[in-house]
Amino acid sequence: EGEAQKLEKARVTLDDCLACSGCITSAESVLVRQQSHGELRSLLALNRAAAAHEQKLVVVSVSPQSRASLAARCKLGLLEAAQKLTTFLKSVHYVFDTTFSRNFSLLESQQEFVRRFHKQADDKKALPMLASACPGWICYAEKTHGSFIIPHISTTKSPQQVMGSLVKGYFAEQQHLPPDRIYHVTVMPCYDKKLEASRPDFFNQEYQTRDVDCVITTGEVLKLLEQEGVSLADVDPAPLDTLLGGAGTELSSHAGGGSGGYLEHVFRHAAQQLFGIHVGSIHYKPLKNKDFQEVTLERDGEVLLHFALAYGFRNIQNLVQKLKRGKCPYHYVEVMACPSGCLNGGGQIRLEGESSKEELQQVERLYESLRAEIPEENQAVGELYERWLGGWGSARALEVLHTRYHAVERANSALSIKW
Ligand code: SF4
């Protein structure tokens, strides 16, 4: 009925514990609290009251998973939802789509895999390469398996953090602003993205600013709408903003599922580059469950490429055990912490009156309704590689689009909140 309601305390027993080490530390919980829709509202109010030369340019980057969840909740098409959300968020200055930055993450993952494949004889940890876009998985890997697992993790930044570099790097230059005069907000399907944005690796010491200043979840956008008394369905649509300027008229996505399609893109690219094989449709073979599937490329009975996707901590733990026993047969694994992947992230909206399975299927249908683009064919991406990064595979591209991981000593990880 629109009234605040005190919720009951959640009960977590030892039976619920997956020993995933995903619990966050007290220091991390402070960083997470600094990022909320309340913080965003305060910033916007302060910004309006500030003198012109002190005002920040506010940029919001919306993830495609969040948009699908909001569209399903508000019973809208995806383009319609994106255009209406742009109007609603127009108290900020620009609203971008992280599908654009995901092109860079996919392209860099593809190239990184080929480099590692060539190195496998000299470097025993070059393969399997494990995907890096999920901070829930990264957090677990660093805290639980540290230096054993880290060399296997792709160094490619996630779409959120590539967007951070684009906004505070390229876009700031175009606007003739230092990075700290831009306040960059992302809308994401999970809370783990708040932790990712808070990593010291994504903090600019020179300007004392983060690449992503504030992450809010899809559910928090819904709260913002409710607090403003706005129904998204009633909002007029606005043209979409694009990083290179001009208005966007359509949305696109990537093939390979709601977590970004890393497996499919790396698989196709590797098949072509390493073996000269063009892959048509990809056949997934389910293993123990639908969240653990594998894909192979064979020629004359010989397995050339063996890839898998492992979603959810139970499957991740199985994968890590295989690796530890030296019995992991894969060249690449798309690892995601949430069962069913990012469309089912903990920050997504749960629809009312429908079972969670049906609601997830509805979000998946919407997400998959878009045209799938091929990153290599995106002209704006190609242009940015040339103009901003100095070309494909340049030293600057490696520096800007890749990151590092850090083993965490277990003794230092005093736990406070179950994530
Ligand atoms: Fe976030 Fe879950 Fe996606 Fe990982 S799988 S990035 S935790 S929504």
Side-chain angles (χ1 to χ4, degrees):
E1 285 93 42
E3 286 173 13
Q5 193 185 339
K6 193 163 189 302
L7 299 177
E8 282 181 25
K9 276 191 182 171
R11 286 166 58 89
V12 180
T13 69
L14 270 184
D15 288 342
D16 300 310
C17 177
L18 295 174
C20 70
S21 285
C23 297
I24 62 170
T25 64
S26 356
E28 286 168 337
S29 69
V30 172
L31 290 170
V32 166
R33 271 200 295 274
Q34 286 167 355
Q35 303 182 50
S36 65
H37 66 292
E39 276 294 312
L40 175 60
R41 290 184 78 172
S42 312
L43 179 282
L44 291 176
L46 280 174
N47 212 33
R48 278 192 290 272
H53 69 281
E54 285 176 346
Q55 279 180 359
K56 299 213 177 201
L57 186 83
V58 185
V59 175
V60 178
S61 301
V62 182
S63 70
Q65 294 88 358
S66 299
R67 193 172 45 230
S69 181
L70 277 160
R73 174 68 174 81
C74 301
K75 305 209 180 323
L76 295 168
L78 282 179
L79 182 59
E80 214 182 352
Q83 290 171 329
K84 286 169 182 278
L85 201 56
T86 303
T87 304
F88 173 66
L89 292 171
K90 268 299 176 175
S91 56
V92 308
H93 301 97
Y94 291 94
V95 182
F96 297 135
D97 175 1
T98 61
T99 307
F100 183 70
S101 54
R102 193 165 67 193
N103 283 302
F104 290 86
S105 301
L106 291 168
L107 289 168
E108 289 299 313
S109 298
Q110 293 174 182
Q111 292 180 45
E112 183 182 350
F113 178 79
V114 171
R115 281 197 301 272
R116 282 173 175 255
F117 194 91
H118 286 309
K119 270 196 343 195
Q120 62 181 312
D122 305 324
D123 179 358
K124 295 288 167 233
K125 293 215 167 185
L127 297 179
M129 176 170 126
L130 307 174
S132 56
C134 170
W137 145 242
I138 298 296
C139 186
Y140 164 74
E142 287 184 329
K143 286 180 179 173
T144 312
H145 303 288
S147 46
F148 168 75
I149 208 96
I150 283 173
H152 289 284
I153 303 177
S154 161
T155 56
T156 301
K157 282 184 185 173
S158 71
Q160 168 173 275
Q161 293 311 136
V162 171
M163 199 59 165
S165 300
L166 277 164
V167 167
K168 295 279 179 117
Y170 172 79
F171 190 65
E173 277 167 30
Q174 299 306 302
Q175 299 292 315
H176 307 292
L177 287 172
D180 56 335
R181 282 286 305 282
I182 295 184
Y183 189 78
H184 184 205
V185 184
T186 58
V187 178
M188 288 286 145
C190 68
Y191 294 89
D192 299 72
K193 288 284 173 189
K194 299 185 190 227
L195 275 183
E196 182 182 46
S198 307
R199 288 172 73 87
D201 309 273
F202 304 132
F203 185 77
N204 181 330
Q205 287 292 348
E206 187 186 349
Y207 288 95
Q208 292 293 296
T209 185
R210 286 201 296 254
D211 293 344
V212 177
D213 295 285
C214 181
V215 180
I216 56 173
T217 62
T218 321
E220 285 179 283
V221 172
L222 189 65
K223 267 191 213 153
L224 272 177
L225 282 160
E226 287 168 355
Q227 284 172 358
E228 308 269 332
V230 173
S231 157
L232 200 57
D234 299 335
V235 174
D236 290 331
L240 306 174
D241 294 326
T242 61
L243 256 163
L244 291 187
T249 50
E250 65 157 355
L251 295 170
S252 58
S253 186
H254 294 110
S259 299
Y262 288 86
L263 181 150
E264 282 210 25
H265 285 81
V266 175
F267 190 79
R268 284 178 200 282
H269 181 79
Q272 188 68 54
Q273 291 292 311
L274 297 168
F275 305 105
I277 297 175
H278 172 77
V279 174
S281 60
I282 291 188
H283 175 67
Y284 287 86
K285 182 176 155 207
L287 297 172
K288 290 188 172 166
N289 51 64
K290 71 171 179 41
D291 277 338
F292 202 162
Q293 304 196 38
E294 59 180 33
V295 176
T296 50
L297 180 75
E298 293 181 24
R299 186 163 55 194
D300 303 330
E302 183 197 355
V303 174
L304 303 175
L305 290 175
H306 199 177
F307 282 26
L309 56 82
Y311 291 178
F313 276 110
R314 287 192 198 281
N315 289 324
I316 291 176
Q317 283 171 328
N318 278 335
L319 172 74
V320 172
Q321 287 318 314
K322 278 192 172 116
L323 255 174
K324 287 200 159 165
R325 289 199 298 267
K327 294 207 165 138
C328 179
Y330 307 117
H331 295 110
Y332 178 86
V333 187
E334 181 181 298
V335 189
M336 296 285 158
C338 294
S340 300
C342 296
L343 290 174
N344 190 35
Q348 295 283 69
I349 301 163
R350 306 292 167 198
L351 293 185
E352 293 155 7
E354 287 176 82
S355 73
S356 58
K357 202 171 159 200
E358 281 167 2
E359 90 199 15
L360 180 59
Q361 282 170 352
Q362 193 182 345
V363 175
E364 282 171 350
R365 269 196 300 275
L366 271 169
Y367 184 91
E368 283 161 13
S369 66
L370 292 176
R371 173 185 69 83
E373 70 169 311
I374 297 167
E376 289 89 331
E377 294 175 2
N378 186 312
Q379 285 186 357
V381 170
E383 209 178 311
L384 277 173
Y385 262 103
E386 284 306 319
R387 267 171 41 190
W388 178 48
L389 298 169
W392 298 96
S394 67
R396 180 155 163 74
L398 275 176
E399 183 197 323
V400 172
L401 301 175
H402 290 254
T403 185
R404 287 173 303 152
Y405 308 104
H406 315 276
V408 177
E409 293 300 326
R410 287 184 75 83
N412 292 338
S413 54
L415 307 179
S416 68
I417 298 175
K418 179 71 185 140
W419 201 227

